[in-house]
C-alpha cells in the first residue's frame, strides 16, 4: 500500500480545519445573529470610520470604542463580510478561548464539570453582545501555556490579545511579571515585543496624543453605569460611607497578596487573584465573568459542591428580567463564591499538585 506524502496530509488537515472554522462562523452567525449590540453599535462602525479616515479613535466619531487602538487589526477583517458573519468570527474566537481554558485549566476533571465551565450565563450574554472578552480569555490561556512551556514569542501573542482590554487582565499581567522575573532580558523583550511594537506604532498611526485622548474620552463619555457590577457600585447603591467599601476591598487585596506569598505562583493562586480582582475592580460587567472560567475549573478541582454553587450563581443576572437592573449587584455572588472557594481550599489543603502548579524558572 502506497504511503501518503506528509505534505499532502498537512494540506488535508489544514483544509479540514479551515472548513471547520468557516462552518463554525456560519453556525454562530445563524444562531446568535446580530443586532443593536457592542459589535454593531461600537466596534464595527468605529473601525470602519477609522479606515475611512473619519476618526483617529477616542472621539465622537468612535463612540463607545474603549479598546486599545491596535485592536482595529483584530476588527478590520470582520468588515469584509456582513455584520452577522463578522460577529460570528469573534464568536468563534470566543469559543476557542473557552475550549482552550478547559483544556489548560480543566485537565483531568470530569466531563460534567467541563460542561458547566463551557456554559456559564456570561458566555451566552457575551455571544449576544458581540464583545471580545472571549478573545481576551484566549490571550490569557495562550499566555499561561507560554509561561508553562517557556515560549517568549508565544507569550507575546497572548499578551497582545489580553491587552486589547487590559483593565480586567491585571491579575494575569501580575503573574506574568512574577513568573518571568528570572527570564533572560532577551526572553523578556521577546515576550513583550508585540505589545511594545503596537504601543510604539500607535503614536504615528493614531496620533501622538492618543493616551491623553483616551483618558479624556473615557472621562467625557464613560461606559453606561447601569450594567456595571462592582463592590464600589454596591456601596454607592446602599449609600455606604466610602470607608465601609474600602475596608473589605483592602482585605480582599491583602489576603490575596498574602496567599500568593504563602503558597507561591500556580493556577490555585491565579484563580484566587482573578476572582478577587473581579470583585474589587473599578469596572466590571457580567460579560467579563467569562474570564473567570479558569478560576471556576480550579475551584471545581478541589470543591465540586462549591463549583456547582458558583455555576448556579452565574445565572443570577436572569433576575433582572422581573426586578430590573437595580438588583444587578447580586451578580457579585459569582466572583465572591469563587474567591471564597479558592481561599478555603488553599488554606485547607495547601495544594502543590504538579499538574497544575508552574514553578518559577530560576535559571
Amino acid at each position: 500500500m502506497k504511503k501518503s506524502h506528509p505534505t499532502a496530509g498537512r494540506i488535508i488537515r489544514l483544509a479540514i480545519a479551515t472548513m471547520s472554522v468557516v462552518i463554525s462562523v456560519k453556525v454562530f452567525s445563524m444562531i446568535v445573529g446580530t443586532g443593536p449590540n457592542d459589535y454593531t453599535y461600537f466596534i464595527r462602525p468605529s473601525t470602519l470610520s477609522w479606515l475611512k479616515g473619519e476618526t483617529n479613535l477616542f472621539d465622537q466619531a468612535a463612540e463607545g470604542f474603549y479598546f486599545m487602538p491596535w485592536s482595529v487589526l483584530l476588527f478590520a477583517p470582520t468588515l469584509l463580510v456582513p455584520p452577522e458573519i463578522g460577529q460570528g468570527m469573534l464568536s468563534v474566537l470566543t469559543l476557542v478561548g473557552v475550549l482552550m481554558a478547559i483544556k489548560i485549566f480543566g485537565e483531568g476533571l470530569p466531563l460534567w464539570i467541563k460542561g458547566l465551565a463551557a456554559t456559564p450565563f456570561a458566555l451566552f450574554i457575551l455571544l449576544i453582545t458581540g464583545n471580545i472578552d472571549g478573545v481576551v480569555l484566549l490571550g490569557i490561556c495562550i499566555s499561561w501555556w507560554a509561561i508553562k512551556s517557556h515560549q517568549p514569542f508565544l507569550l507575546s501573542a497572548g499578551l497582545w490579545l489580553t491587552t486589547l482590554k487590559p483593565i480586567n487582565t491585571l491579575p494575569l499581567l501580575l503573574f506574568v511579571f512574577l513568573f518571568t522575573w528570572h527570564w533572560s532580558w532577551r526572553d523578556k523583550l521577546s515576550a513583550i515585543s508585540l505589545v511594545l511594537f503596537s504601543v510604539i506604532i500607535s503614536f504615528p498611526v493614531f496620533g501622538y496624543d492618543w493616551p491623553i485622548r483616551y483618558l479624556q474620552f473615557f472621562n467625557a463619555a464613560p461606559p453606561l453605569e447601569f450594567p456595571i457590577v462592582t463592590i464600589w457600585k454596591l456601596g454607592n447603591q446602599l449609600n455606604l460611607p466610602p470607608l465601609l467599601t474600602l475596608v473589605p476591598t483592602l482585605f480582599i487585596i491583602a489576603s490575596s497578596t498574602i496567599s500568593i506569598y504563602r503558597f507561591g505562583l500556580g493556577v490555585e493562586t491565579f484563580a484566587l487573584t482573578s476572582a478577587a480582582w473581579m470583585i474589587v475592580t473599578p469596572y466590571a460587567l457580567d460579560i467579563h465573568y467569562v474570564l473567570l472560567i479558569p478560576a471556576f475549573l480550579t475551584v471545581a478541582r478541589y470543591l465540586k459542591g462549591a463549583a456547582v454553587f458558583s455555576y448556579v450563581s452565574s445565572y443570577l443576572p436572569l433576575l433582572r428580567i422581573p426586578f430590573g437592573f437595580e438588583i444587578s449587584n447580586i451578580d457579585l455572588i459569582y466572583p465572591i463564591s469563587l474567591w471564597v472557594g479558592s481561599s478555603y481550599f488553599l488554606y485547607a489543603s495547601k495544594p502543590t499538585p504538579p499538574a497544575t502548579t508552574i514553578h518559577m524558572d530560576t535559571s
Side-chain angles (χ1 to χ4, degrees):
M1 183 176 178
K2 187 178 180 180
K3 294 183 178 180
S4 61
H5 195 278
T7 303
R10 294 193 195 99
I11 294 175
I12 292 174
R13 288 194 294 271
L14 179 61
I16 293 174
T18 302
M19 185 174 295
S20 300
V21 170
V22 172
I23 293 174
S24 299
V25 169
K26 184 61 178 178
V27 169
F28 269 102
S29 66
M30 292 173 62
I31 295 176
V32 179
T34 191
N37 56 28
D38 293 349
Y39 177 74
T40 54
Y41 270 17
F42 309 125
I43 294 176
R44 191 178 179 95
S46 298
T47 305
L48 184 60
S49 295
W50 177 75
L51 289 173
K52 290 181 177 180
E54 298 171 352
T55 178
N56 258 357
L57 301 181
F58 315 130
D59 53 34
Q60 292 183 346
E63 182 182 357
F65 194 94
Y66 302 107
F67 314 99
M68 290 295 98
W70 52 89
S71 61
V72 295
L73 295 177
L74 175 69
F75 302 140
T78 70
L79 302 181
L80 301 175
V81 293
E84 64 273 13
I85 300 295
Q87 184 172 333
M89 294 166 67
L90 295 181
S91 297
V92 168
L93 286 177
T94 292
L95 178 62
V96 173
V98 172
L99 293 178
M100 192 169 182
I102 293 173
K103 171 65 177 176
I104 293 176
F105 296 94
E107 185 175 359
L109 288 175
L111 183 61
W112 68 273
I113 288 290
K114 295 178 180 179
L116 296 184
T119 56
F121 183 72
L123 177 60
F124 300 114
I125 298 299
L126 176 59
L127 292 174
I128 293 172
T129 58
N131 215 299
I132 63 168
D133 296 274
V135 179
V136 175
L137 175 62
L138 176 60
I140 290 175
C141 295
I142 292 174
S143 299
W144 195 266
W145 180 259
I147 292 172
K148 184 176 180 180
S149 55
H150 198 129
Q151 298 185 54
F153 286 108
L154 185 61
L155 177 57
S156 181
L159 290 178
W160 191 88
L161 292 174
T162 61
T163 55
L164 298 177
K165 293 181 71 173
I167 182 64
N168 286 323
T169 59
L170 289 182
L172 174 77
L173 300 181
L174 170 65
F175 272 66
V176 167
F177 175 78
L178 294 175
F179 272 129
T180 61
W181 181 259
H182 294 285
W183 283 18
S184 68
W185 279 107
R186 181 177 180 179
D187 285 348
K188 289 179 181 179
L189 287 175
S190 298
I192 64 172
S193 58
L194 282 179
V195 175
L196 183 62
F197 176 77
S198 297
V199 171
I200 294 174
I201 201 67
S202 290
F203 287 100
V205 173
F206 300 100
Y208 290 94
D209 63 337
W210 74 259
I212 298 175
R213 292 201 330 270
Y214 178 85
L215 295 175
Q216 292 175 339
F217 175 73
F218 193 91
N219 290 327
L224 295 175
E225 183 179 359
F226 71 87
I228 294 177
V229 180
T230 67
I231 192 174
W232 305 101
K233 182 182 176 182
L234 177 61
N236 292 334
Q237 193 174 40
L238 298 177
N239 293 317
L240 298 177
L243 184 62
L244 289 183
T245 304
L246 182 62
V247 169
T249 299
L250 292 177
F251 173 76
I252 291 173
I253 294 174
S255 63
S256 300
T257 303
I258 292 172
S259 296
I260 293 176
Y261 178 79
R262 180 171 180 178
F263 300 108
L265 303 175
V267 291
E268 292 82 10
T269 47
F270 179 63
L272 177 75
T273 308
S274 299
W277 181 248
M278 204 60 73
I279 300 170
V280 305
T281 178
Y283 179 66
L285 308 176
D286 50 8
I287 60 174
H288 298 159
Y289 290 169
V290 168
L291 303 179
L292 292 179
I293 290 177
F296 170 83
L297 288 165
T298 305
V299 170
R301 187 175 300 278
Y302 296 94
L303 302 168
K304 290 182 174 54
V308 171
F309 174 83
S310 297
Y311 176 78
V312 173
S313 71
S314 77
Y315 281 80
L316 288 176
L318 288 173
L319 293 176
R320 298 175 189 175
I321 297 175
F323 299 108
F325 275 91
E326 290 76 12
I327 66 162
S328 61
N329 285 304
I330 198 173
D331 301 358
L332 279 170
I333 292 177
Y334 181 59
I336 289 174
S337 66
L338 292 177
W339 180 74
V340 172
S342 300
S343 300
Y344 178 80
F345 72 64
L346 273 169
Y347 285 89
S349 60
K350 299 185 175 73
T352 55
T356 58
T357 301
I358 300 175
H359 302 287
M360 286 196 299
D361 182 5
T362 57
S363 59

